[in-house]
């Protein structure tokens, strides 16, 4: 091992001063300002550090001078102490003493200042110079570099935790102050706090890219006009940039590299980083709630920014590497179900406590309404395999706070058996990538038949109709942050990620995309018109499908990333929303159609059913709640489902909705017929006759370029309409007039 006297490396300097510490209490964990013995104000520090030999809390003044406070008390492996006089705004970190023995998983190194896992705020940014690594990063023999200890002090190079005043009123986030939008009524909108507001012309420059910017009336006004009910924020937990990005002059943009599960990312704060980010985040949530919009956080509890054995020592690795991470039989190495170098050991009580404490904090003290769990299959693993009776899922199911919020799983990870779409238990909804793939394939005319599409349009009952689950278990999406934007999906067939600096090797090659005849931006009017029609087709399909639709910020106005399908490191105009698109007629009309479709969905319960369709005939007329039609206007047979077909009619009966209103009355609605046509050639379609309808009123026609007004054509049942190539028509069924009027 390398010590302070070898290789010319400076040993850890002695602390400037040592401060006396009172015993304090082992709970709650973290740094909590309070009144101590004899009414003395101060802060209680508590850190779980199993296997540690000693723990110091280190206080830093504005010049970076360090005062060390040994925590002499240890209760059930929690080191704790009360430091008189320490008030909100104080910056701090921990040094944890223990045995350096990577061969058995021990990576304690007192030279490394560690971020408190329970820090409520973080001041500063991780820049990852060699000093922040517990081992000698640049050791000539890299295959053993992780075993050679680096004794240089990391404190000057790492951010510090900040003591925060707990000033949220007890009743701030009561249920009656939240939107509490039912799942069936929800329309999700995935956005990046920085990217959504960074280029908005009506948001003051100093607020762009921040929580305060998202709370600005200009940002909220767009969300309200669009009609979405919830924003799903890309990660806002404090995160670090990866070393390989920093070396290339790039930064982690998406934020899936968490290091502080209680702290709002300081880089998104306009008002300061000495605790002000906490109040700013709460104000943002409050403003969104007042607009009727819920806040869902994308959270990354499957791994941390410390990566594998050659990664930096920032927090958990130096606190208790064996206690927090899954290690292989060779304890130098990490089990990696995430593709990010490490995996949190969620089966261990202290790790499960960290995660659930964090989740409850964001609900009860920060006001959020739900979570989307990145690589949720990792959290559901027991010792090895994914287990839907795992400790994590069991704890969530019985927790009185967490079982009441929206829970969304990304139902896969990169390990063996990690693909778990449809397998999560009741309470959970899931990102449904089978919906994404089926809709993409249909509109590029690549499905062999329409069997899979039928399931996806009607709520994916084949995946979710078990154990009391409902159509809302399916979060339907065509695009997400990860992959092409919707516009790029119809403009590129191949990824163009050269700007990421990884030789275009990153990002998936399975895009299921069609460029409409030219790769990239085109000057041809016919290609551009077809692309806009395809966007209208896909957005209409998404918003008319049963389940919970999710849009991605900017897709409603044609945002492009220039073919980059992995813009995780593009904190620039590639990754930011371009608001000038709203001034262009073609893209403004796409936005208008999207808002109109969302409004239509909100008005009509038949488009957002809370129960699966039965498909059975009922009533004296023998109608079904859901019926499927061929282009000839006849109901589909078993053979039709297996035959190649590009035209599909879907009838939704508003008279047979399996729902009751608050007083127990039947819910009824208009009936609709949607006709999807993916082939390029025009084709006839016969509108089903009685008893399905007497006449049909055209509501949406994606073949029309001008979407600023609703079509108003009324056609008699049994008539033939000509479907334009690659188009979607939505008809409202016209009921017979009781007075005999036409």
């Amino acid at each position: 091992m390398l010590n302070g006297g070898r290789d010319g490396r400076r040993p850890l300097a002695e602390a400037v001063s040592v401060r006396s510490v009172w015993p304090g209490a082992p709970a709650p964990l973290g740094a909590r300002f309070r009144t101590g013995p004899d009414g003395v104000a101060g802060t209680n520090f508590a850190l779980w550090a199993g296997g540690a030999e000693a723990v110091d809390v280190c206080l830093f003044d504005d010049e970076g001078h360090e005062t060390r406070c040994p925590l002499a008390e240890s209760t059930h492996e929690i080191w704790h102490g009360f430091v008189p006089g320490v008030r909100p705004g104080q910056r701090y970190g921990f040094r944890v003493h223990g045995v350096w023995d990577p061969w058995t998983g021990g990576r304690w190194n007192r030279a490394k200042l560690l971020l408190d896992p329970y820090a409520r705020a973080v001041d500063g940014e991780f820049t990852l110079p060699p000093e922040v690594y517990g081992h000698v990063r640049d050791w000539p023999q890299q295959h053993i570099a992780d075993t050679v200890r680096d004794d240089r002090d990391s404190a000057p190079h790492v951010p510090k935790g900040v003591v925060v005043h707990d000033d949220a009123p007890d009743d701030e986030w009561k249920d009656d102050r939240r939107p509490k939008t039912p799942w069936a009524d929800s329309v999700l909108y995935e956005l990046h706090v920085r990217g959504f507001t960074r280029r908005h012309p009506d948001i003051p420059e100093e607020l762009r890219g921040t929580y305060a910017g998202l709370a600005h009336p200009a940002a909220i006004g767009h969300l309200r006009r669009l009609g979405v009910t919830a924003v799903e924020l890309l990660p806002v937990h404090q995160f670090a940039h990866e070393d390989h990005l920093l070396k290339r002059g790039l930064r982690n943009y998406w934020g899936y590299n968490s290091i502080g599960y209680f702290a709002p990312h300081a880089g998104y704060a306009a008002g300061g980083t000495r605790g002000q980010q906490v109040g700013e985040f709460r104000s943002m949530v409050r403003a969104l709630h007042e607009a009727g919009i819920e806040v869902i956080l994308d959270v990354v509890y499957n791994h941390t920014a410390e990566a594998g054995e050659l990664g930096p020592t920032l927090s958990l690795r130096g606190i208790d590497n064996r206690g927090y991470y899954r290690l292989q039989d060779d304890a130098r190495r990490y089990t990696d179900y995430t593709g990010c170098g490490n995996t949190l050991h969620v089966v261990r009580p202290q790790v499960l406590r960290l995660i659930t404490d964090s989740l409850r904090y964001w609900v009860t003290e920060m006001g959020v309404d739900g979570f989307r769990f990145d690589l949720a299959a990792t959290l559901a693993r027991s010792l090895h395999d994914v287990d839907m009776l795992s400790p994590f899922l069991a704890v969530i199911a019985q927790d009185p706070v967490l079982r009441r919020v929206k829970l969304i799983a990304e139902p896969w990870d990169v390990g063996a058996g990690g693909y778990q779409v449809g397998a999560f238990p009741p309470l959970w909804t899931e990102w449904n990538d089978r919906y994404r793939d089926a809709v993409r394939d249909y509109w590029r005319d690549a499905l062999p038949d329409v069997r899979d599409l039928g399931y996806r349009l009607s709520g994916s009952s084949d995946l979710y109709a078990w154990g009391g689950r409902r159509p809302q278990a399916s979060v339907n999406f065509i695009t997400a942050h990860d992959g092409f934007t919707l516009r790029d999906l119809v403009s590129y067939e191949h990824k163009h990620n050269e700007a990421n600096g990884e030789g275009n090797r990153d990002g998936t090659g399975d895009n299921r995309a069609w460029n409409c005849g030219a790769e990239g931006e085109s000057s041809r009017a016919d290609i551009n018109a077809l692309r806009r029609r395809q966007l209208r087709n896909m957005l209409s399909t998404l918003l008319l499908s049963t389940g919970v639709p999710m849009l991605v910020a900017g897709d409603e106005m044609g945002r492009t990333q220039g073919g980059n399908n992995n813009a995780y490191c593009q904190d620039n105009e590639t990754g930011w929303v371009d608001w000038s698109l709203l001034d262009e007629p073609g893209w403004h009309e796409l936005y208008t159609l999207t808002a109109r479709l969302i409004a239509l969905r909100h008005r009509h319960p038949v488009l957002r059913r809370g129960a699966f369709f039965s498909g059975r005939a009922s009533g004296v007329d023998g109608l079904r709640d859901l019926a499927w039609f061929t282009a000839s206007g006849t109901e589909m047979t078993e053979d039709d489902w297996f035959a190649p077909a590009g035209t599909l009619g879907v009838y939704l009966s508003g008279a047979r909705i399996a729902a009751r209103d608050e007083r127990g009355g039947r819910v009824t609605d208009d009936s609709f017929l949607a006709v999807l046509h993916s082939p390029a050639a025009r084709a006839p379609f016969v509108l089903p006759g009685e008893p399905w309808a007497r006449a049909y009123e055209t509501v949406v026609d994606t073949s029309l370029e001008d979407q600023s007004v609703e079509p108003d054509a009324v056609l008699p049942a049994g008539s033939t309409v000509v479907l334009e190539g690659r188009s979607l028509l939505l008809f409202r069924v016209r009921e017979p007039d009781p007075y005999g009027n036409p």
Side-chain angles (χ1 to χ4, degrees):
M1 288 186 295
L2 183 71
N3 59 41
R6 292 188 185 179
D7 202 25
R9 298 176 188 267
R10 182 173 60 85
L12 172 66
E14 292 300 316
V16 173
S17 61
V18 176
R19 191 165 175 175
S20 63
V21 181
W22 298 352
L29 292 171
R32 303 299 288 270
F33 174 70
R34 64 178 178 84
T35 301
D38 301 322
V40 175
T43 297
N44 191 84
F45 294 92
L47 177 73
W48 184 90
E53 296 176 347
V55 173
D56 301 326
V57 61
C58 305
L59 310 178
F60 294 85
D61 63 19
D62 291 342
E63 285 72 43
H65 299 140
E66 177 182 349
T67 299
R68 193 170 305 169
C69 308
L71 302 180
E73 304 293 328
S74 179
T75 304
H76 304 309
E77 298 186 304
I78 296 174
W79 297 79
H80 55 90
F82 179 85
V83 185
V86 172
R87 306 187 67 84
Q90 174 65 59
R91 300 187 306 152
Y92 72 99
F94 289 110
R95 296 188 188 274
V96 181
H97 305 244
V99 176
W100 175 266
D101 187 13
W103 297 269
T104 62
R107 293 185 178 274
W108 287 282
N109 185 341
R110 72 185 184 97
K112 308 305 168 185
L113 188 76
L114 307 174
L115 184 67
D116 178 8
Y118 280 73
R120 305 293 183 90
V122 175
D123 179 57
E125 190 169 341
F126 291 100
T127 56
L128 303 188
E131 289 85 352
V132 306
Y133 290 75
H135 65 281
V136 181
R137 187 186 69 178
D138 302 323
W139 192 254
Q141 298 169 291
Q142 279 292 293
H143 67 287
I144 61 168
D146 69 290
T147 69
V148 184
R149 193 179 71 205
D150 188 317
D151 289 331
R152 290 175 292 182
D153 185 6
S154 70
H157 310 285
V158 295
K160 315 299 189 289
V162 179
V163 177
V164 174
H165 200 296
D166 295 326
D167 56 358
D170 292 339
D171 63 348
E172 172 77 13
W173 309 115
K174 281 188 175 180
D175 281 354
D176 60 359
R177 299 191 178 190
R178 297 174 180 264
K180 294 188 67 178
T181 305
W183 263 124
D185 300 339
S186 296
V187 177
L188 309 183
Y189 189 79
E190 188 191 44
L191 67 81
H192 189 287
V193 169
R194 178 169 167 80
F196 185 69
T197 61
R198 187 64 185 85
R199 301 179 68 185
H200 200 299
D202 296 328
I203 296 176
E205 177 68 33
E206 66 274 13
L207 300 184
R208 295 177 192 173
T210 69
Y211 306 118
L214 183 53
H216 190 273
I220 292 179
H222 178 81
L223 299 173
R224 292 194 66 179
R225 289 188 296 273
L226 191 59
V228 298
T229 68
V231 290
E232 185 177 303
L233 306 182
L234 267 67
V236 296
H237 289 165
Q238 185 70 38
F239 63 86
H241 305 290
E242 293 91 331
D243 184 58
H244 69 92
L245 292 178
L246 295 173
K247 288 178 178 177
R248 297 201 298 270
L250 298 170
R251 298 158 56 87
N252 187 308
Y253 172 55
W254 287 348
Y256 291 92
N257 207 36
S258 300
I259 195 63
Y261 291 130
F262 290 77
H265 186 63
Y268 302 155
T273 59
R274 297 289 282 266
Q276 295 92 337
Q277 60 265 56
V278 177
E280 187 175 328
F281 186 93
R282 286 173 176 156
S283 295
M284 177 197 72
V285 173
R286 192 178 302 113
L288 287 163
H289 281 181
E290 290 172 355
I293 299 170
E294 294 184 301
V295 178
I296 296 172
L297 302 188
D298 195 334
V299 290
V300 189
Y301 294 112
N302 54 77
H303 76 280
T304 76
E306 292 185 302
E309 61 270 13
L310 295 177
T313 296
L314 309 175
S315 182
L316 303 182
R317 172 176 284 137
I319 295 170
D320 185 357
N321 187 55
R322 291 187 297 244
Y324 279 106
Y325 293 116
R326 290 179 181 262
L327 304 181
Q328 299 181 23
D329 292 338
D330 175 1
R332 279 178 58 195
R333 314 298 183 195
Y334 293 80
T335 301
D336 184 9
Y337 294 124
T338 68
C340 299
N342 65 53
T343 305
L344 280 177
H345 207 331
V346 180
V347 174
R348 294 187 178 274
Q350 64 274 11
V351 181
L352 189 57
R353 179 182 179 183
L354 171 66
I355 294 172
T356 54
D357 282 354
S358 168
L359 291 170
R360 282 189 292 268
Y361 170 75
W362 286 97
V363 174
T364 61
E365 298 193 41
M366 302 295 273
V368 306
D369 305 287
F371 305 93
R372 179 266 189 187
F373 292 83
D374 181 65
L375 300 182
T378 300
L379 303 175
R381 289 185 181 270
S382 291
L383 292 179
H384 299 287
D385 297 332
V386 178
D387 178 6
M388 292 305 160
L389 297 176
S390 67
F392 173 75
L393 294 179
V395 166
I396 295 292
Q398 61 77 44
D399 189 283
V401 172
L402 301 180
R403 70 188 182 202
R404 297 170 61 190
V405 302
K406 286 183 165 66
L407 302 170
I408 305 171
E410 183 184 36
W412 51 76
D413 65 20
V414 303
Y419 186 76
Q420 295 289 323
V421 172
F424 274 72
L427 286 185
W428 288 81
T429 64
E430 301 175 14
W431 271 24
N432 187 353
D433 67 328
R434 290 186 60 180
Y435 179 94
R436 175 199 65 196
D437 293 350
V439 174
R440 288 187 180 192
D441 281 347
Y442 176 77
W443 284 114
R444 67 189 182 109
D445 206 17
L447 282 181
D449 53 54
V450 291
R451 284 176 295 160
D452 195 40
L453 182 67
Y455 275 120
R456 303 310 144 230
L457 297 179
S458 59
S460 296
S461 60
D462 58 329
L463 300 176
Y464 302 114
W466 63 271
R469 303 188 82 182
R470 296 191 169 202
Q472 290 71 48
S474 177
V475 172
N476 298 332
F477 68 102
I478 301 173
T479 58
H481 65 275
D482 189 0
F484 281 148
T485 67
L486 200 64
R487 177 176 170 180
D488 287 354
L489 191 64
V490 300
S491 304
Y492 299 88
E493 292 183 7
H494 308 287
K495 60 184 179 180
H496 297 268
N497 300 351
E498 290 81 7
N500 296 354
E502 300 176 39
N504 206 32
R505 294 184 299 273
D506 61 305
T508 182
D510 181 19
N511 295 294
R512 300 173 186 256
W514 178 52
N515 63 21
C516 297
E519 185 72 0
E521 293 300 309
S522 174
S523 59
R524 287 179 53 181
D526 58 334
I527 288 178
N528 290 329
L530 175 57
R531 287 173 175 175
R532 288 193 294 271
R533 180 182 298 187
Q534 288 287 77
L535 295 186
R536 295 193 293 270
N537 289 335
M538 287 189 277
L539 283 170
S540 299
T541 303
L542 175 65
L543 292 167
L544 296 174
S545 297
T546 301
V548 180
M550 184 186 78
L551 299 165
V552 178
D555 274 355
E556 74 276 14
M557 52 179 135
R559 186 175 77 88
T560 177
Q561 292 178 168
N564 191 320
N565 75 351
N566 190 35
Y568 79 103
C569 56
Q570 296 300 318
D571 187 7
N572 49 46
E573 293 186 356
T574 297
W576 302 338
V577 172
D578 180 4
W579 292 93
S580 69
L581 292 168
L582 282 176
D583 298 327
E584 300 181 22
W587 301 124
H588 188 272
E589 289 164 359
L590 183 69
Y591 160 77
T592 299
L593 174 65
T594 306
R596 184 154 64 84
L597 286 164
I598 293 174
L600 186 74
R601 185 181 182 91
H602 288 323
R603 288 198 305 270
H604 292 285
V606 71
L607 300 178
R608 43 185 173 83
R609 288 173 55 103
F612 286 109
F613 298 94
S614 72
R616 295 188 295 270
S618 63
V620 294
D621 54 12
L623 293 181
R624 310 175 194 281
D625 58 359
L626 174 70
W628 306 90
F629 290 91
T630 66
S632 62
T634 59
E635 285 195 75
M636 292 180 66
T637 65
E638 187 74 10
D639 289 343
D640 290 327
W641 285 108
F642 286 84
T647 305
L648 180 66
V650 189
Y651 184 97
L652 306 175
S653 174
R656 285 162 177 78
I657 301 174
R660 296 194 296 170
D661 61 26
E662 294 178 349
R663 292 182 172 85
R666 286 185 57 215
V667 173
T668 60
D669 192 13
D670 293 331
S671 297
F672 289 88
L673 174 69
V675 182
L676 291 75
H677 179 65
S678 63
R682 302 172 77 196
F685 184 91
V686 179
L687 297 173
E690 295 190 59
W692 302 102
R694 296 281 184 89
Y696 294 88
E697 175 188 6
T698 308
V699 178
V700 173
D701 182 352
T702 64
S703 70
L704 300 178
E705 187 76 25
D706 184 359
Q707 294 290 319
S708 60
V709 294
E710 295 188 24
D712 58 0
V714 177
L715 301 170
S719 61
T720 299
V721 296
V722 177
L723 305 174
E724 297 294 332
R726 299 191 175 95
S727 64
L728 180 151
L729 285 170
L730 179 68
F731 299 97
R732 181 186 289 111
V733 171
R734 293 288 291 266
E735 301 296 340
D737 188 282
Y739 301 102
N741 296 319

